[in-house]
Amino acid sequence: MPQTRRALLRTLGTLGAAVLATAAAPTPGNRPAAPAPGSRPAAPAAGPAPRTPPAPPSRCGCPRPPDPGPSAPSRCTWSTTAAPTPPAHPALPGAHGRPLVPGGTRRRPPEGPWLPPAAAADWDTHSAPALNVPTGAADWRGIRTHARTGAPVARRAGRLPVVLFSSGDGGSRALGTTLVEELASHGHLVVALDSTYEAEQVEFPGGRVERALPLPDDLTPQVIAALLAGHSRARLADARFVLGALDRLARGHRPDTGTDPLPDGLAEAADPARTGVLGQSLGGSVAARLAHDEPRVHAAADLDGALLGPVADNGLAKPFLLMTSGTKTLTTEPDWASCWAASTGPRHALRLRNAAHGSYTDLQVLLPQLAHTLPVPDTAALIGTLDPRRSLAAQRTAVTAFFARYLTGRPTGFLDRPGDHWPELEVLH
């Protein structure tokens, strides 16, 4: 990660805006013309998650986080674009779950990687050193998820509520894998988005990697504000395009990507009438704005992202979850305070005690594992001092409870009263 991008991320963190990852596809008119990144839907499939393969002995391995919820997720990835006529670019590799076939008549699909190979190599070269992990010291390519590539969707689940996921500014959609898999394991079809030319690396079919555009040398507050505004506009346009693609998929349209067809059952699984949005940092800001503007979105969850524009001024009339870190509360952040005062829809705010902005990314589970064998400094600055296992469990429980309540109608009081078992969660008013 170049020093200029690191400086931007630090500045964004102090402003309460975006840090650490991104989402969406290139939109004509606000990014260079090029194929869009993949969007990765995940849906529940049967069977337990497989064991993690051992890491090569010469490098530091990064085992997977704890298993997600009751069923192993199924994952696939395809490439799409916000242009009127999508180019015939094949799907990006990646998707998980266990095949629902009798007697094991088919081989199980392979485990899904955390990052595809070329993107993992680029992360090792450019992104890992920014985390003080030397190039070649960790086996990023060897990280496997709890899902399987191209596995059929569990048909017995019926139509599934949809959640769009968007991570923070400058990184990969992979940084939200732990939460995406958890939602999928509880019966949601999750579509994770990448932002070409904003994310540090996006891998396309065939192994081509597009890197983030260089940032300006002089990152003044005005320049940062302009960058954020441009990134937000692009993401909103991309998310709307994805919503349209899901509508068409639910009506029987099958995208022609020039590669293998979608996994069995995926096309019939989406229920666009029950759609929510989840995002971290800038992704959370965009999630709230999309819920404000877009009638097809019924609920939004913001993981430590600032609230900008009409959301801050007018609030939301739809269910909204805000999770914060550090010492930030509804009274310390003016945009959160004004949104809360103006909102008329159900709203919940939880502070994750002793967490940091990066706690809401997969760095929460990756960095502590690396720190056992590598001299990784300043992990507390990135992910706080909260036990990573408790942090991940609290996030998974809160986010799953929110979307279960507002997309599937399952009653829960967890968001208002987490209880004594969750001392790391503070309800904000």
Side-chain angles (χ1 to χ4, degrees):
M1 187 182 298
Q3 292 300 315
T4 53
R5 184 162 291 275
R6 292 188 69 189
L8 173 63
L9 298 184
R10 285 196 217 99
T11 307
L12 292 174
T14 62
L15 294 176
V19 186
L20 284 176
T22 40
T27 303
N30 53 32
R31 294 197 204 126
S39 58
R40 181 173 61 195
R51 294 181 178 274
T52 307
S58 60
R59 306 168 73 191
C60 174
C62 296
R64 294 177 297 190
D67 288 1
S71 61
S74 172
R75 154 181 155 185
C76 78
T77 311
W78 76 79
S79 180
T80 186
T81 179
T85 304
H89 284 283
L92 288 169
H96 11 267
R98 184 172 177 177
L100 305 179
V101 292
T105 55
R106 286 196 210 157
R107 295 179 59 188
R108 290 199 301 173
E111 296 170 334
W114 185 65
L115 281 171
D122 189 272
W123 172 281
D124 187 45
T125 301
H126 297 99
S127 302
L131 301 172
N132 296 302
V133 178
T135 297
D139 183 19
W140 303 103
R141 182 173 175 173
I143 302 174
R144 289 295 179 265
T145 63
H146 291 287
R148 290 186 173 268
T149 301
V153 175
R155 294 181 184 275
R156 65 175 180 271
R159 300 293 291 275
L160 305 175
V162 176
V163 176
L164 271 60
F165 172 76
S166 175
S167 48
D169 191 83
S172 167
R173 67 177 186 241
L175 286 167
T177 298
T178 51
L179 288 181
V180 164
E181 288 192 335
E182 181 72 11
L183 282 171
S185 76
H186 284 272
H188 297 79
L189 190 150
V190 188
V191 184
L193 310 174
D194 254 335
S195 284
T196 311
Y197 309 118
E198 181 195 326
E200 273 295 292
Q201 56 280 124
V202 176
E203 180 172 338
F204 284 85
R208 177 173 62 89
V209 173
E210 293 293 344
R211 306 210 70 256
L213 295 175
L215 296 172
D217 292 331
D218 188 13
L219 288 173
T220 64
Q222 293 77 15
V223 170
I224 292 172
L227 284 169
L228 285 177
H231 293 173
S232 296
R233 284 193 300 270
R235 287 168 175 239
L236 287 167
D238 295 336
R240 292 188 180 104
F241 176 78
V242 170
L243 291 173
L246 288 168
D247 286 339
R248 292 189 294 274
L249 195 67
R251 293 196 303 267
H253 171 75
R254 303 296 181 262
D256 181 10
T257 62
T259 60
D260 294 336
L262 296 176
D264 291 345
L266 177 62
E268 297 80 19
D271 183 4
R274 296 183 292 164
T275 297
V277 188
L278 167 67
Q280 185 264 342
S281 196
L282 181 61
S285 304
V286 171
R289 178 64 184 269
L290 195 66
H292 179 278
D293 295 352
E294 179 55 63
R296 292 174 290 183
V297 172
H298 302 284
D302 174 5
L303 306 179
D304 216 27
L307 299 175
L308 309 174
V311 178
D313 297 335
N314 306 324
L316 289 168
K318 299 174 182 177
F320 181 50
L321 170 65
L322 175 66
M323 296 192 71
T324 77
S325 67
T327 59
K328 291 181 288 186
T329 69
L330 296 177
T331 57
T332 63
E333 310 303 309
D335 53 308
W336 293 349
S338 59
C339 171
W340 233 246
S343 292
T344 58
R347 54 199 184 277
H348 310 273
L350 296 170
R351 184 170 74 92
L352 193 57
R353 292 187 173 102
N354 299 317
H357 197 65
S359 297
Y360 293 106
T361 74
D362 280 10
L363 296 181
Q364 176 71 95
V365 294
L366 293 175
L367 288 185
Q369 297 178 70
L370 291 171
H372 286 304
T373 53
L374 295 172
V376 182
D378 294 331
T379 56
L382 286 169
I383 59 173
T385 57
L386 177 61
D387 183 331
R389 294 166 296 182
R390 295 294 299 177
S391 175
L392 179 59
Q395 293 177 51
R396 283 174 159 179
T397 304
V399 170
T400 301
F402 174 75
F403 286 114
R405 179 171 176 176
Y406 293 110
L407 295 185
T408 68
R410 300 176 202 161
T412 174
F414 179 85
L415 299 169
D416 301 310
R417 295 178 299 278
D420 295 339
H421 294 297
W422 298 97
E424 50 277 295
L425 285 175
E426 175 189 356
V427 178
L428 303 180
H429 301 284

